[in-house]
Amino acid sequence: LGTPMEQNPPELLGFKKAEKQYKRYKRSRTDYSDALDFRNLEQNTPNNRELLIEISPSIFQIKGRPGLVFMEGAIDEKSQLHWARECLRRYPNPPHVTNLTQFHGDLEDVFQRALDQKESNTKRKDHSQDRSTDQKSQDWKSLLYQLRWVTLGYHYNWTTRLYEPEKKFPFPEDLGLEVEALSKKGGFPEFRAEAAIVNYYHEDSTLGGHTDDSELSLEYPIVSMSIGNTAVFLIGGTNKTEEPSALLVRSGDVVIMGGHSRRCYHGVPRIIENSLPQWMLESTSDQDLISYLKDSRINVNVRQVFAQGQSFNAQPT
């Protein structure tokens, strides 16, 4: 009898194929020419140029992706540093919940404490003398690197994939005003900021393809702000067999997923290393913040949980 025929591995299709195309591999150079580039329009392939619809200056829609709005450079340089500062110095503090809370309890000033560990033992002791003994012994640098997400407003439970009504904290007013103004500018004037997830990416971070369907009303968009290194963002269809579009999302860009795109698979297969904007590298303000962002990306995605008059007893719509 002959030996059994070797079976070839199944061909990757749709979303999985695109994820593999852009995933980071050692000693392998990634080709980004197929990704939509909203900042350098002339560098797009002819096919990609035909997909871009500029509905107003620096605001785009994409053919075949109804409801998706891309706002290139919508957040100015000063505001980018402001929101990055808030995401590192303010939002990870209690009562907000982070991925570290379950294992380490309420941690305060993780970013500042990580910076303090670079100082001498004497300075670190002086700075920490009013802190609890438990928090003195933490490896703050490691904890800062491990920080992956913070929830604002209604807390999202990643295990149950549900919002927890008993864990609601006031949504940051200034962030709410900023995002609601961006949503209105992007064509969604009725949006109300009620919950947010702040994601912290490093150069080796990825976010697998998924849909966001935990909000009780999906008629309102997700508004996503990006700060730091450039990401490859994939937006596909309502199942993973459809081939997604790849978008280059740079610092200061805003992506709004509304309408049909609100129910579509999306993900981040790649953070592009050494892609921090030149103005950030040359900035003389808040060098500790810039140092963190050199190999990181911060994404703030904001949602409206309820439709008008809805409550947690309502069924999703």
Side-chain angles (χ1 to χ4, degrees):
L1 297 177
T3 57
M5 292 181 62
E6 292 185 5
Q7 294 194 3
N8 294 322
E11 181 182 0
L12 292 175
L13 300 173
F15 212 96
K16 288 291 185 182
K17 181 180 179 180
E19 286 179 320
K20 184 176 181 181
Q21 177 182 350
Y22 292 105
K23 188 177 179 181
R24 183 183 184 187
Y25 295 100
K26 290 184 178 180
R27 296 181 295 277
S28 176
R29 188 171 183 175
T30 304
D31 180 5
Y32 299 105
S33 61
D34 287 337
L36 293 165
D37 189 337
F38 298 85
R39 184 159 302 179
N40 305 299
L41 298 179
E42 70 285 351
Q43 293 186 16
N44 284 285
T45 65
N47 287 339
N48 279 352
R49 283 198 291 270
E50 291 182 3
L51 297 177
L52 300 180
I53 307 169
E54 191 166 13
I55 57 178
S56 61
S58 299
I59 301 180
F60 300 85
Q61 293 177 340
I62 304 172
K63 288 181 182 178
R65 304 296 177 196
L68 185 77
V69 176
F70 193 103
M71 305 173 70
E72 189 273 323
I75 309 171
D76 62 41
E77 294 177 2
K78 182 178 179 181
S79 296
Q80 288 178 51
L81 292 180
H82 168 74
W83 294 120
R85 197 175 296 116
E86 294 290 275
C87 290
L88 288 169
R89 294 186 176 274
R90 177 183 169 200
Y91 297 156
N93 292 331
H96 302 140
V97 179
T98 79
N99 63 297
L100 304 175
T101 305
Q102 179 181 355
F103 306 100
H104 301 279
D106 289 337
L107 298 175
E108 293 190 32
D109 302 330
V110 174
F111 182 70
Q112 184 60 49
R113 290 173 183 274
L115 297 177
D116 290 342
Q117 285 193 329
K118 297 179 181 179
E119 303 295 330
S120 68
N121 291 336
T122 301
K123 289 185 177 181
R124 186 167 64 244
K125 181 179 179 181
D126 290 342
H127 181 84
S128 304
Q129 61 186 358
D130 61 338
R131 308 295 187 179
S132 69
T133 301
D134 288 341
Q135 293 202 2
K136 284 182 189 179
S137 62
Q138 298 283 7
D139 181 354
W140 296 102
K141 182 179 179 181
S142 176
L143 288 174
L144 178 61
Y145 184 82
Q146 294 172 40
L147 179 65
R148 287 295 184 265
W149 54 260
V150 174
T151 56
L152 308 175
Y154 285 103
H155 170 62
Y156 180 74
N157 187 311
W158 294 84
T159 302
T160 63
R161 300 188 77 248
L162 297 171
Y163 287 95
E164 299 181 339
E166 69 278 6
K167 289 186 179 179
K168 179 188 183 297
F169 307 106
F171 193 90
E173 183 178 1
D174 54 350
L175 178 61
L177 291 172
E178 173 85 0
V179 172
E180 287 167 9
L182 288 168
S183 179
K184 183 177 181 180
K185 189 175 181 180
F188 298 90
E190 304 301 323
F191 178 78
R192 185 173 66 249
E194 294 180 330
I197 300 175
V198 183
N199 290 313
Y200 303 83
Y201 295 85
H202 301 299
E203 289 181 348
D204 58 351
S205 301
T206 61
L207 180 65
H210 66 285
T211 58
D212 290 310
D213 55 5
S214 298
E215 291 70 38
L216 294 182
S217 179
L218 300 183
E219 63 182 285
Y220 299 99
I222 293 176
V223 183
S224 174
M225 303 164 47
S226 292
I227 303 165
N229 280 277
T230 301
V232 176
F233 177 75
L234 299 178
I235 176 71
T238 54
N239 60 69
K240 284 191 172 183
T241 61
E242 181 176 332
E243 184 176 351
S245 299
L247 288 58
L248 294 178
V249 183
R250 294 182 171 87
S251 192
D253 292 343
V254 172
V255 178
I256 302 179
M257 295 173 57
H260 178 74
S261 71
R262 182 66 172 79
R263 293 169 166 80
C264 291
Y265 278 89
H266 55 281
V268 179
R270 181 70 173 268
I271 306 299
I272 301 177
E273 51 270 33
N274 302 315
S275 58
L276 201 69
Q278 189 63 32
W279 69 264
M280 274 192 182
L281 294 172
E282 297 173 353
S283 175
T284 57
S285 63
D286 210 332
Q287 286 299 299
D288 293 326
L289 187 71
I290 302 299
S291 179
Y292 175 89
L293 290 173
K294 280 182 179 178
D295 60 358
S296 302
R297 171 183 182 251
I298 299 174
N299 173 252
V300 184
N301 54 89
V302 184
R303 302 105 185 284
Q304 178 170 337
V305 179
F306 301 111
Q308 188 69 31
Q310 264 188 331
S311 68
F312 274 105
N313 294 324
Q315 295 296 316
T317 60

